[in-house]
Amino acid sequence: AAGATVRGVDVSYYQGNIDWKAAHADGIDFAVARVSDGTGFKDPKFTKNWNGMRDAGVIRGAYQFFRPKQDPIAQADLAIAMINDAGGTGDGDLPLMLDLEVNDGVSAKTLLARAKAWLDHVEQATGRTPMIYTGAYFWQQFGGPDGYEKYPLVTANWQTKCPAVPDSWSNWTFWQDADNGHVAGIPALVDTDVFNGSLDD
């Protein structure tokens, strides 16, 4: 990062029952909670996390683990519906994030086409540009296609001082810098994240 950064986490039901006020007091200013793994598994802690983050003053976001074999529109609709069922979005919430890290046996071309369908659908449905979570190690199979820099990048690159940025972007917006973080109020190890900017940004 060129300047200020903000600390956060991303979570799912694997982290158990989180005390978001304690996490916030421990320096966590934003968090991204999983809504589902494709269409087949709704995260049972999502609603609790979604409302707990807000109540604790933590800037909140949501992500969906993308399953390339499944219908991308059905996945997007499920994510949007689960957020709405949990109370919907408000001012200051982060845009929905697409978690791209598995092929599930489909070709790179098919995966990218289905991911783009998800991205377009979410943008149209929510009026906001979604974010993409991926890593250079995974994205390299696509050959650095154009048109993706409009989507804020959440790059995964653990235990390093400066993250690798996939070819389609020139910089990172968020960086998942570890998968084994210790944070007060979170009972299990947790993915830790950094935002490339200030809290106001």
Side-chain angles (χ1 to χ4, degrees):
T5 59
V6 181
R7 286 186 61 216
V9 292
D10 57 271
V11 301
S12 70
Y13 83 107
Y14 292 116
Q15 276 68 51
N17 291 315
I18 297 172
D19 180 342
W20 284 107
K21 289 182 180 176
H24 190 27
D26 197 27
I28 297 304
D29 284 317
F30 72 88
V32 186
R34 184 177 69 168
V35 286
S36 75
D37 182 330
T39 57
F41 184 78
K42 298 177 182 179
D43 196 297
K45 297 292 185 188
F46 174 69
T47 298
K48 183 178 176 67
N49 283 328
W50 186 245
N51 292 308
M53 291 185 285
R54 178 202 60 205
D55 294 344
V58 174
I59 294 171
R60 63 185 182 173
Y63 76 92
Q64 183 171 56
F65 191 94
F66 188 68
R67 289 295 178 181
K69 276 190 174 179
Q70 297 176 9
D71 181 342
I73 305 304
Q75 291 184 75
D77 283 342
L78 175 63
I80 293 165
M82 286 184 65
I83 292 168
N84 288 336
D85 288 347
T89 57
D91 290 342
D93 290 338
L94 299 171
L96 189 55
M97 183 174 90
L98 180 65
D99 181 344
L100 281 179
E101 53 181 297
V102 296
N103 286 74
D104 281 350
V106 308
S107 69
K109 182 179 179 181
T110 297
L111 189 157
L112 206 58
R114 290 178 180 172
K116 192 66 168 63
W118 187 101
L119 293 161
D120 289 343
H121 187 71
V122 166
E123 186 164 13
Q124 184 175 20
T126 65
R128 302 188 68 192
T129 303
M131 306 190 295
I132 295 177
Y133 167 97
T134 194
Y137 69 92
F138 185 79
W139 192 260
Q140 64 187 4
Q141 66 183 300
F142 306 125
D146 293 331
Y148 287 88
E149 190 156 5
K150 68 174 272 190
Y151 303 105
L153 171 66
V154 185
T155 187
N157 195 186
W158 304 334
Q159 282 83 40
T160 184
K161 291 184 177 180
C162 187
V165 174
D167 288 341
S168 298
W169 289 267
S170 60
N171 205 354
W172 55 276
T173 302
F174 292 89
W175 165 28
Q176 187 187 73
D177 63 346
D179 67 337
N180 60 351
H182 295 269
V183 174
I186 302 181
L189 296 178
V190 64
D191 296 335
T192 56
D193 304 288
V194 178
F195 172 68
N196 194 354
S198 68
L199 195 57
D200 284 343
D201 293 333

